[in-house]
Amino acid sequence: MGRFRGGLRCIKYLLLGFNLLFWLAGSAVIAFGLWFRFGGSMKDFSSEDKSPEYFYMGLYVLVGAGALMMAVGFFGCCGATRESQCVLGSFFTCLLVIFAAEITTGVFAFIGKDVAIRHVQTMYEEAYNDYLRDKEKGNGTLTTFHSTFQCCGKESSEQVQPTCPKELLGHKNCIDEIESIISVKLQLIGIVGIGIAGLTIFGMVFSMVLCCAIRNSRDVI
């Protein structure tokens, strides 16, 4: 009986430790998603009429999952401390929802990468052509692209030189830079999503083991 209670206590502390880690991971995921959305090299697109919503969709799911992770982390601590089967069962269900959301984000980031890249490249082509037709009309959008991706024009920068960053040394093809930067960012989003999904598996295992141990201890009593 003493060994059983000791094992139960050990599982409970493991779950408490997991929930603390899970809460911190949720905070990090929110910070990561918000920085990608409103900071870094993509922040200027949030004010554009044609912002790359396809790219941002994965970030919205990621931030929402991060907020849920923080709430669930606190919820799981309460369930482990009170040794409540009902709360632990609800905790398991919430982890399952987070697992599905993070897997969706990861798969979306990896599979939808090419579509997102083409979408942003098409936006650039439209801004580029608008500028050539009417240099006043397309100036703001094209400048945003060049500033965000630190590039200038396509094969040549001569036609759009006034919109290029002054600190840019040499010529960089924007079509290539868009593909490179968007690809790296979506890979990071995918890695974070899959990583968090893997973490939730441990939480689900710990919660079910503790729930079963609590039920068995009550049957013994």
Side-chain angles (χ1 to χ4, degrees), residues 5-217:
R5 294 298 300 177
L8 179 61
R9 191 177 298 110
C10 179
I11 296 171
K12 181 167 72 173
Y13 289 143
L14 282 173
L15 186 58
L16 287 171
F18 167 83
N19 280 297
L20 176 60
L21 179 63
F22 203 63
W23 189 89
L24 293 174
S27 304
V29 167
I30 291 176
F32 177 82
L34 291 178
W35 181 81
F36 258 136
R37 178 62 177 86
F38 299 108
S41 61
M42 298 299 293
K43 63 181 179 181
D44 294 328
F45 277 119
S46 61
S47 60
E48 294 295 324
D49 293 333
K50 295 181 179 180
S51 59
E53 291 301 321
Y54 192 92
F55 172 76
Y56 292 139
M57 193 180 301
L59 293 179
Y60 297 145
V61 175
L62 202 63
V63 171
L68 184 59
M69 285 170 65
M70 293 185 67
V72 169
F74 177 78
F75 194 55
C77 285
C78 293
T81 303
R82 297 179 59 185
E83 297 186 4
S84 170
Q85 289 180 276
C86 180
V87 175
L88 287 172
S90 301
F91 173 70
F92 177 88
T93 303
C94 291
L95 285 182
L96 193 60
V97 172
I98 293 173
F99 176 81
E102 297 294 352
I103 287 293
T104 300
T105 300
V107 171
F108 168 85
F110 286 118
I111 294 180
K113 182 174 63 176
D114 292 338
V115 176
I117 290 171
R118 285 197 299 270
H119 178 64
V120 178
Q121 286 176 335
T122 300
M123 288 170 54
Y124 177 78
E125 295 276 4
E126 292 175 355
Y128 185 91
N129 293 331
D130 285 345
Y131 177 78
L132 294 183
R133 284 193 296 267
D134 185 348
K135 294 191 176 183
E136 292 300 325
K137 177 183 177 182
N139 185 55
T141 302
L142 199 60
T143 300
T144 298
F145 267 103
H146 290 160
S147 175
T148 298
F149 293 99
Q150 286 298 296
C151 59
C152 186
K154 296 189 286 186
E155 290 80 10
S156 172
S157 61
E158 293 180 3
Q159 293 179 303
V160 294
Q161 190 64 46
T163 66
C164 298
K166 295 180 179 179
E167 66 274 12
L168 183 65
L169 300 176
H171 170 65
K172 288 185 178 181
N173 190 316
C174 282
I175 299 299
D176 295 337
E177 290 299 308
I178 288 171
E179 181 177 1
S180 175
I181 291 174
I182 296 295
S183 177
V184 169
K185 289 185 178 296
L186 285 177
Q187 283 179 358
L188 284 174
I189 294 172
I191 290 170
V192 170
I194 298 298
I196 296 299
L199 184 63
T200 60
I201 293 175
F202 290 99
M204 288 189 285
V205 171
F206 285 149
S207 63
M208 283 296 96
V209 170
L210 180 59
C211 190
C212 292
I214 292 170
R215 182 171 55 193
N216 291 337
S217 68

